[in-house]
Amino acid sequence: MNATAGACWHCGEPLPAEPLMAEVGGVPRPVCCHGCRAAAEWIEGLGLGDYYRLRSAPATRPAEDSKAGTWARSELARHAVRRLPDGRSEVGLLVEGMRCSACVWLIERSLDQLPGVDKVQVNATAQRARVVFDAERTTLPEVLVALERVGYRPQPLDATALDDARRRESRAALKGLLVAGFGAMQAMMYATALYLGAFEEAGPATRDLFRWLGLLVATPVVFYAARPFFAGARRTLAARRLGMDVPVALAIALIYAASMIETLRGGSEVYFDSVSMFVFLLLLGRYLEMRARHHAANLSDALARLTPAFADRIRADGSLERIAAAELQAGDRVHVTEGGIVPADGRLEGAHCSVDESLLTGESLAVRRQRGELLVAGSLLVQGPAELRVERVGADTALAGIVALVTRAQTERPRLAQAGERAAARFVARVLALAALTAIAWSFIDPARAFAAMLAVLVVSCPCAFALAVPAALTRALGILAQRGVLVAHADAIEQLAEATHVVFDKTGTLTQPEPGLEQVEVADGLERLQGLELAVSLARGSSHPVARAIAAALPDAVLPAASALQVTAGEGVAGIVDGRRLRLGRASFALAGRPIPPGLESATVLADEARPLAAFRLAERLRPGARELLAELADEGLGIEILSGDAPARVAAVAARLGIGHWHAGQRPADKLARLQALRAQGARVMAVGDGINDAPVLAGADVAVALASGTELAQASSDIVLVGNHLDALGAARRLALQAMAVLRQNQRWSLAYNLTAMPFAALGFVPPWLAALGMSLSSLVVILNALRIGRTPDHAAGLPMATAAGARA
């Protein structure tokens, strides 16, 4: 799109009396200011002059008051720039002024010119960009300046930016829908009177008046409300592609032009009602699609709002100071009041507290945290107050990692969507050819009906519903999964999850809890079991060691005397005074302080006083919640299940027996796990790998679909397609059921839209479908697709209850 006469070549704003000139493509072009001249010449200097041919709307004027420099401050940048496990950095940006695919093209190529930029993902609809770069070679301010130089206004994602963008998009869509709705209502009222012959006795003058009134109300519908369709058609044609907006825009233009000509010359047929209703129903479909997309993005946007603006930092003298949460540093001590939001990731320094992590994990019940356990930013303190030692802030928190995963999935275009777009483009070409053939055929049979039949073919067979089939279903599925604590990092994972035939699990930290649980308590003569346990818990609460936490968790709510004179010896145990008795808890050699160790206590955790051992505690691996239910469900569906673990055979066999798994492999190194996975895939299996740990990263990277737990290492999560945020493993079973349902709905949408088009086209070509009915049918077919997609997650998980025959049918 080139600038109009009297307008700036770059931004399209009116030119001053003495405009500046910029050299673009060897031709001097008038621009309104030095910023536009610099932007135009910089675009040309990068060899990106094709932007001016591809764009469908003028660029925005470069900002004169750049704020990019403020992000050079490390205390601000760390809240926007996230460090990836491989050493690179990533940032999510809201890019104001992004309007079309040409903007995507320009942004990608402009940032590619910067040294150290490895990947740029741009979503023009949401006005978001994800940039992965080497922070040693490129800084965040340099990324922002590069975008500002070509006329955009970038800012790192935050709650204010998200709210503003959402509000503008909704307002623009609603205004267009209201204009089209009012015009369609009025045009239909005038047309009904004409169709019913209400003015036959009044004469042609009254009839012509109502046609002019129809023209009056249809004009703003076509030139204002229908602008998105014309802009979309212009973009796709400028990029030398065919999209679904092409036949829509062509039909709107032809219907309006033909009706206006008929009105001017007093002809017999006008279609102002058809074109107004056509635009209204299409905009209604797009509005519903936008609402569904906003709903799917609600979780990531809500997550971005979770971190509080302020935090109460504890000074050295114990007093509190209110500071901005962005000023927190690792090592700071923070006080959180009951009902407050945790401002950063940190370790609990108090005895215990309860936090609500429902928005992070999908678990509705409050979670009890003991001394030394991690509190994550964004969680709500239900029972407190609490004091914590800050470990991670800004973009390094678990909350920021969740937002980054959701943003990554939202900016990617899944394979199914790309295939659907290619199929829709081919279908559009056939529609245009069929419309032309219909017009030619009818010009020989009955020339008076040729135009109406061509319009009907053009409108009724527009592949809007087919093009919406994939994104509507996947967008809905991504949003529902995120609300349930299952984060999909790659949109293709939904399809792969539904198609999995085998599942391989790691054991430690995946099928079992990362920390052991108390299995057996033995007490000395003269001491009751509860007495010995209470003494041990009083001491254990003073240590953050996993064994101490396991013992303390045995009596989480008991009111016990606090231990005094605590002394923690790393790797050995804890000593202190409880009710006036000097006690030691830990390894047998530590607890007995050099005294002989009685037989059978060598491997136990021992509680002893100064005279004798009082109690022995034996710990064992605990199954992760939901593990049994998940494995039973997967087995019922016919999936092959194996354990690949690096642990000792006896320990692996014990867990496999408790879970009813017949195939397991112990002592597996990462290379052994990967070899087993490759062997399964060589047999035609579609393998899902579930792991938690650095040694799981190779097998996760090599699986068809990789699932990691949020408690796992960052490398495991970086290699995964799906991340389970909650502690319950059966969330994976719910995710698979929803994936099967999403794929079934997606196939239903595709079959419905294809069947509708193939059925309606012959009737339209034969002249049995008037243009108004064609507009109604095409628009309703799109609404059916969108409303069907909204069933995902709301209807019972019938896809999972139907066995593999149905599941396989959904995947076919």
Side-chain angles (χ1 to χ4, degrees), residues 302-508:
L303 288 170
R305 299 181 181 91
L306 275 183
T307 304
F310 299 98
D312 292 327
R313 184 166 59 189
I314 303 175
R315 295 190 180 98
D317 60 2
S319 62
L320 301 180
E321 61 172 334
R322 174 62 61 92
I323 63 171
E327 297 180 34
L328 287 175
Q329 303 274 354
D332 286 346
R333 293 177 64 233
V334 175
H335 175 85
V336 183
T337 59
E338 186 171 307
I341 304 294
V342 178
D345 289 359
R347 298 285 172 183
L348 179 64
E349 293 199 332
H352 59 82
C353 69
S354 294
V355 290
D356 179 359
E357 300 176 350
S358 57
L359 195 56
L360 297 169
T361 66
E363 297 181 13
S364 57
L365 298 178
V367 181
R368 187 178 181 85
R369 298 297 183 197
Q370 305 288 340
R371 184 192 308 274
E373 290 191 315
L374 182 69
L375 299 182
V376 295
S379 53
L380 173 68
L381 189 64
V382 176
Q383 181 185 10
E387 294 181 2
L388 66 146
R389 178 80 62 177
V390 174
E391 290 189 353
R392 294 190 296 266
V393 296
D396 294 327
T397 62
L399 173 64
I402 294 172
V403 174
L405 284 173
V406 176
T407 302
R408 185 192 309 170
Q410 291 173 344
T411 53
E412 284 188 349
R413 294 172 64 237
R415 182 188 62 81
L416 282 173
Q418 296 177 29
E421 290 174 5
R422 290 192 296 268
R426 293 192 296 270
F427 196 84
V428 166
R430 295 186 178 96
V431 167
L432 295 176
L434 180 61
L437 290 174
T438 300
I440 294 171
W442 276 103
S443 64
F444 290 104
I445 301 171
D446 186 356
R449 300 177 62 184
F451 184 73
M454 180 196 67
L455 285 180
V457 170
L458 201 60
V459 171
V460 80
S461 56
C462 175
C464 295
F466 188 83
L468 285 172
V470 173
L474 293 184
T475 300
R476 173 71 179 176
L478 287 172
I480 294 297
L481 286 172
Q483 290 175 359
R484 297 180 180 178
V486 180
L487 303 180
V488 180
H490 303 288
D492 285 332
I494 292 178
E495 178 188 12
Q496 294 158 352
L497 180 61
E499 293 180 346
T501 61
H502 285 69
V503 189
V504 295
F505 289 93
D506 175 47
K507 179 183 70 69
T508 307

Side-chain angles (χ1 to χ4, degrees), residues 254-318:
L254 288 176
I255 296 172
Y256 179 78
S259 299
M260 185 173 62
I261 293 172
E262 288 292 295
T263 300
L264 292 173
R265 69 183 185 88
S268 59
E269 292 289 343
V270 293
Y271 305 103
F272 294 123
D273 56 324
S274 297
V275 70
S276 300
M277 182 175 62
F278 183 40
V279 173
F280 171 70
L281 291 174
L282 281 174
L283 288 177
L284 179 60
R286 291 200 174 186
Y287 183 77
L288 292 176
E289 186 270 335
M290 180 200 71
R291 290 291 301 271
R293 176 165 39 83
H294 284 183
H295 181 74
N298 274 345
L299 172 49
S300 59
D301 293 356
L303 288 170
R305 299 181 181 91
L306 275 183
T307 304
F310 299 98
D312 292 327
R313 184 166 59 189
I314 303 175
R315 295 190 180 98
D317 60 2

Side-chain angles (χ1 to χ4, degrees), residues 438-762:
T438 300
I440 294 171
W442 276 103
S443 64
F444 290 104
I445 301 171
D446 186 356
R449 300 177 62 184
F451 184 73
M454 180 196 67
L455 285 180
V457 170
L458 201 60
V459 171
V460 80
S461 56
C462 175
C464 295
F466 188 83
L468 285 172
V470 173
L474 293 184
T475 300
R476 173 71 179 176
L478 287 172
I480 294 297
L481 286 172
Q483 290 175 359
R484 297 180 180 178
V486 180
L487 303 180
V488 180
H490 303 288
D492 285 332
I494 292 178
E495 178 188 12
Q496 294 158 352
L497 180 61
E499 293 180 346
T501 61
H502 285 69
V503 189
V504 295
F505 289 93
D506 175 47
K507 179 183 70 69
T508 307
T510 302
L511 292 174
T512 63
Q513 296 276 30
E515 296 182 355
L518 184 61
E519 186 179 58
Q520 185 178 359
V521 180
E522 303 169 0
V523 294
D525 294 338
L527 191 70
E528 293 189 5
R529 180 182 183 279
L530 181 60
Q531 257 185 306
L533 187 57
E534 287 179 342
L535 292 172
V537 169
S538 294
L539 268 184
R541 287 177 176 176
S543 172
S544 61
H545 190 276
V547 173
R549 289 204 297 267
I551 294 174
L555 297 174
D557 300 316
V559 179
L560 301 174
S564 59
L566 281 171
Q567 292 181 335
V568 178
T569 303
E572 294 292 333
V574 58
I577 299 174
V578 179
D579 279 342
R581 302 173 64 180
R582 188 173 296 278
L583 304 174
R584 298 168 72 88
L585 175 70
R587 294 178 183 270
S589 57
F590 170 83
L592 296 173
R595 297 191 296 270
I597 300 175
L601 297 186
E602 295 87 348
S603 60
T605 299
V606 176
L607 173 71
D609 60 12
E610 295 177 308
R612 60 170 181 155
L614 300 176
F617 305 91
R618 303 188 188 276
L619 281 65
E621 288 185 299
R622 296 176 296 159
L623 294 181
R624 185 176 286 273
R628 282 196 178 94
E629 293 81 358
L630 171 65
L631 294 174
E633 180 179 333
L634 295 178
D636 288 343
E637 292 182 5
L639 274 69
I641 302 173
E642 296 186 13
I643 296 179
L644 302 180
S645 175
D647 210 343
R651 296 167 66 89
V652 177
V655 171
R658 293 167 67 185
L659 292 171
I661 299 176
H663 300 281
W664 53 270
H665 303 267
Q668 298 282 291
R669 296 170 299 174
D672 299 326
K673 294 183 179 183
L674 190 58
R676 177 56 186 162
L677 182 144
Q678 292 170 344
L680 287 172
R681 296 184 67 185
Q683 298 168 12
R686 303 296 298 272
V687 182
M688 171 171 36
V690 186
D692 167 47
I694 292 180
N695 64 336
D696 298 320
V699 71
L700 289 176
D704 291 291
V705 57
V707 181
L709 284 86
S711 57
T713 64
E714 288 192 41
L715 181 56
Q717 294 175 27
S719 303
S720 66
D721 304 302
I722 298 172
V723 176
L724 303 181
V725 181
N727 188 45
H728 292 270
L729 199 57
D730 56 355
L732 180 58
R736 178 172 158 80
R737 291 196 300 273
L738 192 134
L740 287 169
Q741 186 188 17
M743 295 305 298
V745 168
L746 186 152
R747 301 306 184 199
Q748 288 172 4
N749 285 345
Q750 289 182 323
R751 286 194 294 266
W752 152 253
S753 57
L754 188 60
Y756 161 76
N757 281 308
L758 294 179
T759 303
M761 275 195 294

Side-chain angles (χ1 to χ4, degrees), residues 33-49:
C33 64
H34 290 283
C36 285
R37 181 171 71 177
E41 291 180 347
W42 192 69
I43 292 172
E44 177 69 16
L46 293 176
L48 305 178

Side-chain angles (χ1 to χ4, degrees), residues 45-246:
L46 293 176
L48 305 178
D50 277 349
Y51 161 72
Y52 293 105
R53 176 179 63 83
L54 295 172
R55 66 179 179 171
S56 61
T60 51
R61 177 182 289 181
E64 297 178 0
D65 54 341
S66 173
K67 298 180 176 60
T70 60
W71 292 97
R73 296 167 56 192
S74 60
E75 61 270 23
L76 287 180
R78 73 185 180 196
H79 287 268
V81 179
R82 175 175 170 78
R83 191 81 168 177
L84 297 177
D86 59 9
R88 297 180 300 170
S89 300
E90 71 170 350
V91 63
L93 302 174
L94 180 68
V95 185
E96 297 281 350
M98 193 191 316
R99 295 172 179 170
C100 61
S101 57
C103 295
V104 175
W105 181 88
L106 179 61
I107 288 170
E108 289 176 344
R109 282 155 181 79
S110 298
L111 293 180
D112 283 342
Q113 305 292 324
L114 295 177
V117 171
D118 295 329
K119 181 186 294 185
V120 181
Q121 291 176 315
V122 183
N123 185 328
T125 304
Q127 293 191 325
R128 298 187 190 186
R130 173 177 173 261
V131 185
V132 178
F133 60 98
D134 182 354
E136 299 295 327
R137 302 172 61 194
T138 297
T139 63
L140 176 58
E142 289 172 341
V143 171
L144 300 179
V145 167
L147 292 175
E148 289 177 347
R149 291 181 66 178
V150 289
Y152 300 102
R153 300 186 184 95
Q155 51 183 314
L157 283 173
D158 59 17
T160 302
L162 292 169
D163 286 338
D164 289 345
R166 181 75 56 80
R167 192 178 300 113
R168 280 192 297 273
E169 184 183 11
S170 297
R171 187 183 297 120
L174 193 58
K175 284 194 296 185
L177 184 63
L178 290 175
V179 170
F182 177 79
M185 180 178 62
Q186 295 297 317
M188 284 296 295
M189 182 178 68
Y190 301 141
T192 301
L194 292 172
Y195 291 150
L196 296 178
F199 306 110
E200 289 182 359
E201 297 181 0
T206 305
R207 181 200 65 191
D208 291 344
L209 172 63
F210 270 71
R211 288 182 176 177
W212 280 102
L213 290 174
L215 173 63
L216 180 67
V217 297
T219 297
V221 174
V222 172
F223 287 95
Y224 177 77
R227 283 186 305 173
F229 305 112
F230 291 113
R234 191 185 303 117
R235 284 196 298 267
T236 54
L237 291 175
R240 298 180 176 88
R241 294 185 288 109
L242 288 176
M244 67 178 181
D245 284 334
V246 173

